[in-house]
Amino acid sequence: QVQLVQSGAEVKKPGASLKVSCKASGYTFNKYAIHWVRQAPGQRLEWMGWINAANGIPKYSQKFQGRVTITTDTSASTAYLELSSLRSEDTAVYFCARGFDVDSPKDAFDLWGQGTMVTVSS
Amino acid sequence: DIQLTQSPSSLSASVGDRVTITCRASQRISSYLNWYQQKPGKAPELLIYVASTLHSGVSSRFSGSGSGTDFTLTISSLQPEDFATYYCQQRYSTPSFGQGTKLEIK
């Protein structure tokens, strides 16, 4: 079954760091990209960055530059999102998504993980 | 960054209605515009990419059109399962999404 399965919900204190995993199955992991998108309560989807699973090269939204790291473990068909210096505004559902046309403007996100709820609270 | 503005932000309609949602980009993005459907508590699902190409498995009652800065998503005959929030997304540059259009039952 073609799917992305994410790690479970997290509760973090302000200033802490977060690491969310996204395990792919049912397709060749290194032929696609993995994007990370978050959605704060009642808000629009917000793109955070992506990684080319073929070469491991990431690209980040300027908004998160310096706080975000996206990596892959191709042997485990898994992508990871790390976000540091958490603040209350980072409370959101974090999604991973597969991009099917790597590094092309014709790309779209055709497969999504189930989402990981992250709550940042003291 | 390219801004996407959807209209309306919310819409009430009945089963069987034809509805149209628009998405306007802050600059020209050729045809690099995608549409997603999201139901409460769920991940988004791809409906249409490159403005008008129907994603595999998506009902033909969904269609998309447009290029440049103005795009539309049309649902030809609303079904109960279509009541959801719809987002446009551009891939011309750093990805961004519209604010969403919530489609509710009248």
Side-chain angles (χ1 to χ4, degrees), chain A residues 39 44 47 105 107 109 112, chain B residues 34 36 38 87 89 91 97:
Chain A
Q39 188 171 37
R44 74 174 70 190
W47 180 79
D107 183 41
F109 303 167
W112 292 68
Chain B
N34 307 319
Y36 299 84
Q38 186 178 35
Y87 292 94
Q89 177 209 31
R91 286 295 279 120
F97 293 87

Side-chain angles (χ1 to χ4, degrees), chain B residues 15-47:
Chain B
V15 172
D17 283 354
R18 178 185 179 91
V19 300
T20 297
I21 298 168
T22 66
C23 179
R24 174 163 288 176
S26 59
Q27 64 185 75
R28 295 182 66 83
I29 58 170
S30 185
S31 296
Y32 302 128
L33 192 286
N34 307 319
W35 290 97
Y36 299 84
Q37 177 193 71
Q38 186 178 35
K39 296 182 178 179
K42 299 294 187 182
E45 294 183 356
L46 178 63
L47 296 174

